[in-house]
Amino acid sequence: MKSCLVAIQNLTKSGSPQTFLHVVEALKKEGFVVDVYAYSIFDKETDLAMLEAYQKVCRNIYFNNINANTFLYRTYPFLLMSSFKKMIKKGQYDLFLTNNFYLSAYIAKKLRKKIKNIYYSLGNVNQKSKYWILRRKDIYIKKLVRKVDAYIGISILAFFDDIEIPNEKRFVLMDYPNNYYPNLVKNNKELTIGQIGYFSKNKNQLFTIELFNKIKQHYPNASLLFVGYQSSDEPNYIEEVKKRVMELGLSNSVSFLPANYDKETFFKQIDVLLLPSYYEGLPLTLMEAQFSNTPCITSIHVSSDADFGLLKRLPLNTDDWLKEIQSADYKAISRPKYIYTSDEFKKRIKHIIDSVFQ
């Protein structure tokens, strides 16, 4: 029986931990025993929200408190990995899998001949730092990641622009949503807009507030529903959003629902889901929405891979989004082109694993 170590930042209820839980389940089906290394745990309530789900499918779960957002970490990431190296050697793993390209690069440099190495890119890896030294460092790291045994991108936006990955190592693997409702029917009398996601600058809820303020001028009875949790990295952002709601006099029309709010009820309530992110890999919430017959409007920074027939991608300009809402084109579309399932995901995982261990 082969063993695998999976490294992930935390076990929050965000997209990455949900995707990696699906990966672990698929690996178990292929005969692996799996340990997980959650390397950035600070707020146990938030950062370990999915711990119970992981405990059901993992042999061991290890924790650390490395702050992956600091300048020191990004400048000298390898200096912070001594405990990680010991864990790899002690476990005598056959496979290492992560969405952290520093960890993947470390394995490629230090332990390439001892363990198979898969990098699963879940976001846009081409964000460039304003600091020259970090841009130089990232180029070095990317060249190391090129040596992995398999590079998986969750969408076409998840590959490097400046470093070519050999075709035989390059795979695209979308995740699948746990919750969707293909028989969902809506009976909304008034326009209702929704957004799902943790409150952060990237998810850009402030853009949604500014857009909704314009929508209210044309649809006085419109409402806006937010579902999400406070980001541990940006704990004050949600307060900025709530403050802006009050400044614009929208408090009676904007609701902040619990992070665990029932998805089926939510999709019944809204006419359109918004996602004005600055960068994304392939958000599961867009698949959940479309597979529940809910049209979506997103920024152009969301991959076209996320389009299952009910998605419109637009520049981050509130006037363009308002025009799209006013056109009401979304009312003419009710069903996705097709629904992507867990069976397809698991077949792809099997194909990738077979190619790595052939």
Side-chain angles (χ1 to χ4, degrees):
M1 182 176 288
K2 290 185 173 65
S3 61
C4 175
L5 179 65
V6 170
I8 188 169
Q9 184 172 356
N10 53 47
L11 305 181
T12 65
K13 288 186 176 178
S14 59
S16 297
Q18 291 185 57
T19 296
F20 267 62
L21 182 61
H22 294 160
V23 170
V24 171
E25 291 169 344
L27 287 171
K28 283 197 67 178
K29 185 179 178 182
E30 293 304 308
F32 284 83
V33 292
V34 182
D35 292 346
V36 164
Y37 174 48
Y39 58 83
S40 190
I41 305 300
F42 294 95
D43 181 342
K44 290 186 177 180
E45 183 176 352
T46 300
D47 294 340
L48 295 178
M50 292 185 66
L51 177 59
E52 186 176 343
Y54 270 83
Q55 287 174 329
K56 290 178 180 178
V57 293
C58 295
R59 179 178 59 182
N60 299 302
I61 302 178
Y62 304 105
F63 306 105
N64 207 333
N65 56 357
I66 296 173
N67 189 341
N69 297 314
T70 65
F71 186 86
L72 175 64
Y73 171 81
R74 292 198 61 193
T75 309
Y76 303 105
F78 290 179
L79 296 182
L80 303 176
M81 295 181 184
S82 59
S83 61
F84 173 67
K85 183 178 180 180
K86 291 177 183 177
M87 187 186 308
I88 290 283
K89 289 187 173 180
K90 182 178 179 180
Q92 295 183 325
Y93 297 102
D94 301 287
L95 175 65
F96 175 70
L97 191 148
T98 187
N99 66 325
N100 182 313
F101 81 152
Y102 294 111
L103 292 177
S104 200
Y106 181 82
I107 294 295
K109 181 177 177 63
K110 300 289 187 178
L111 300 169
R112 185 181 176 191
K113 295 181 180 180
K114 297 182 179 180
I115 185 172
K116 298 294 184 181
N117 182 8
I118 297 179
Y119 174 58
Y120 195 171
S121 176
L122 300 182
N124 188 332
V125 290
N126 295 297
Q127 301 294 314
K128 289 183 170 53
S129 171
K130 62 181 179 181
Y131 299 107
W132 174 84
I133 189 172
L134 294 185
R135 293 198 300 272
R136 293 285 297 176
K137 177 67 68 175
D138 281 355
I139 291 173
Y140 168 71
I141 294 296
K142 288 176 182 179
K143 288 180 179 178
L144 288 176
V145 172
R146 192 178 185 274
K147 300 177 181 180
V148 298
D149 296 288
Y151 183 121
I152 308 173
I154 199 166
S155 74
I156 57 174
L157 292 181
F159 293 90
F160 302 136
D161 287 339
D162 47 359
I163 301 291
E164 184 67 28
I165 304 298
N167 287 336
E168 66 273 13
K169 296 182 180 181
R170 178 184 171 115
F171 304 90
V172 176
L173 177 65
M174 287 189 292
D175 192 14
Y176 62 92
N178 288 329
N179 302 303
Y180 59 90
Y181 309 94
N183 299 318
L184 185 141
V185 178
K186 300 174 186 289
N187 294 300
N188 300 339
K189 294 181 180 179
E190 304 292 347
L191 176 65
T192 304
I193 307 297
Q195 183 171 349
I196 300 176
Y198 57 88
F199 288 88
S200 68
K201 291 179 181 178
N202 177 48
K203 297 298 182 183
N204 207 6
Q205 284 89 353
L206 283 173
F207 175 92
T208 301
I209 294 298
E210 300 302 326
L211 169 62
F212 185 66
N213 187 45
K214 292 184 177 182
I215 288 173
K216 287 287 284 184
Q217 297 171 26
H218 300 272
Y219 303 89
N221 296 321
S223 58
L224 170 61
L225 307 180
F226 284 118
V227 171
Y229 60 88
Q230 177 178 299
S231 169
S232 58
D233 292 333
E234 301 173 65
N236 298 322
Y237 186 82
I238 188 171
E239 299 306 322
E240 293 181 44
V241 173
K242 290 180 177 179
K243 180 182 177 182
R244 188 57 179 155
V245 169
M246 293 182 64
E247 289 173 347
L248 294 172
L250 298 173
S251 297
N252 292 332
S253 301
V254 178
S255 298
F256 293 86
L257 303 174
N260 61 349
Y261 191 75
D262 181 68
K263 291 283 184 69
E264 182 175 11
T265 301
F266 180 76
F267 291 132
K268 282 182 179 177
Q269 289 176 306
I270 68 171
D271 296 289
V272 182
L273 182 80
L274 306 184
L275 188 61
S277 300
Y278 286 110
Y279 57 89
E280 290 285 355
L282 195 145
L284 286 175
T285 184
L286 294 180
M287 300 172 77
E288 291 174 334
Q290 291 177 88
F291 297 172
S292 301
N293 310 319
T294 302
C296 307
I297 304 175
T298 78
S299 70
I300 57 174
H301 305 295
V302 170
S303 172
S304 59
D305 292 349
D307 185 1
F308 287 82
L310 282 75
L311 185 144
K312 181 76 173 184
R313 297 164 68 242
L314 296 173
L316 283 171
N317 180 301
T318 53
D319 289 336
D320 290 341
W321 290 53
L322 175 61
K323 288 177 184 177
E324 183 64 26
I325 295 291
Q326 289 179 304
S327 73
D329 286 346
Y330 60 87
K331 291 183 178 180
I333 307 172
S334 60
R335 302 282 176 179
K337 292 181 292 188
Y338 73 98
I339 291 178
Y340 176 77
T341 67
S342 61
D343 288 342
E344 294 177 65
F345 179 84
K346 289 172 182 175
K347 286 179 183 177
R348 290 286 292 165
I349 286 281
K350 177 176 174 22
H351 171 69
I352 294 168
I353 293 299
D354 288 346
S355 72
V356 167
F357 283 95
Q358 64 182 2

